[in-house]
Amino acid sequence: MNYTELALKEFLTRAKINTYAGDGVLSAPSRPNSKDLRYEEGDLLYIDSYFGSSDFIGEEVVFENQKPIWGMNYYGKMLIDKIPPGFTKCLKSALKAVPLENPFRGPALFEQDGFIYKCSWQGDISEFNGNEAIYFDGIEIYRLSFHGGYIK
């Protein structure tokens, strides 16, 4: 890997803000029924590819000169049948607040319009795992787990 850890974190932060969280445009699907979002800068390429909607699974990979160098897998689901208005706005706002030091999902705590987003993780960009949840009216309505790290 030719990039410093800080440069990779900065790229990941920009990529995440400009794709799903920032209402990025879907690119051609890489697999049947996948939803793919791409972000490119120079010789770095980020692809977020996921399946599903209320229950979903996905993978984010950073490529340097077409070689995978970092990745993260995630699985999330709604825990209620009727999604409250404002849920997606809160989730995307939290994801746009991705912390530079730990650019996995959103910040440890984010609140918006009655929703409370919480994210916790162990490890660092080289190897990590974590969970996020969103609460509304004191009830957990959404949960996601993630893990990943460097690819060699």
Side-chain angles (χ1 to χ4, degrees):
M1 185 169 78
N2 294 323
Y3 284 83
T4 66
E5 185 175 293
L6 178 60
L8 177 59
K9 288 177 178 180
E10 291 171 343
F11 172 76
L12 269 170
T13 301
R14 289 189 299 276
K16 289 170 179 272
I17 290 169
N18 285 287
T19 52
Y20 178 79
D23 296 321
V25 177
L26 291 173
S27 59
S30 59
R31 297 171 278 184
N33 296 305
S34 70
K35 297 173 190 119
D36 290 18
L37 296 140
R38 298 169 62 103
Y39 180 79
E40 217 166 337
E41 282 182 14
D43 55 3
L44 290 179
L45 168 65
Y46 164 92
I47 300 176
D48 179 7
S49 182
Y50 67 97
F51 299 87
S53 182
S54 62
D55 294 11
F56 57 95
I57 192 163
E59 174 180 73
E60 299 175 17
V61 178
V62 174
F63 300 85
E64 178 184 7
N65 294 314
Q66 302 298 308
K67 180 183 174 203
I69 60 169
W70 181 91
M72 178 177 80
N73 297 107
Y74 55 87
Y75 175 76
K77 66 187 298 176
M78 294 304 301
L79 304 175
I80 57 173
D81 292 327
K82 187 165 171 39
I83 300 170
F87 167 81
T88 302
K89 180 182 175 194
C90 173
L91 175 59
K92 288 184 175 188
S93 294
L95 296 178
K96 280 188 230 176
V98 58
L100 176 63
E101 264 316 296
N102 297 289
F104 313 129
R105 295 288 294 173
L109 180 65
F110 182 87
E111 296 183 44
Q112 182 177 25
D113 301 330
F115 293 92
I116 300 172
Y117 169 96
K118 295 182 179 180
C119 187
S120 61
W121 55 84
Q122 301 81 42
D124 59 28
I125 195 165
S126 68
E127 183 180 1
F128 59 89
N129 64 71
N131 296 286
E132 74 180 14
I134 293 182
Y135 300 82
F136 187 67
D137 288 338
I139 298 166
E140 183 180 12
I141 64 169
Y142 159 86
R143 175 183 312 149
L144 178 138
S145 59
F146 59 90
H147 65 270
Y150 290 141
I151 300 170
K152 295 181 182 176

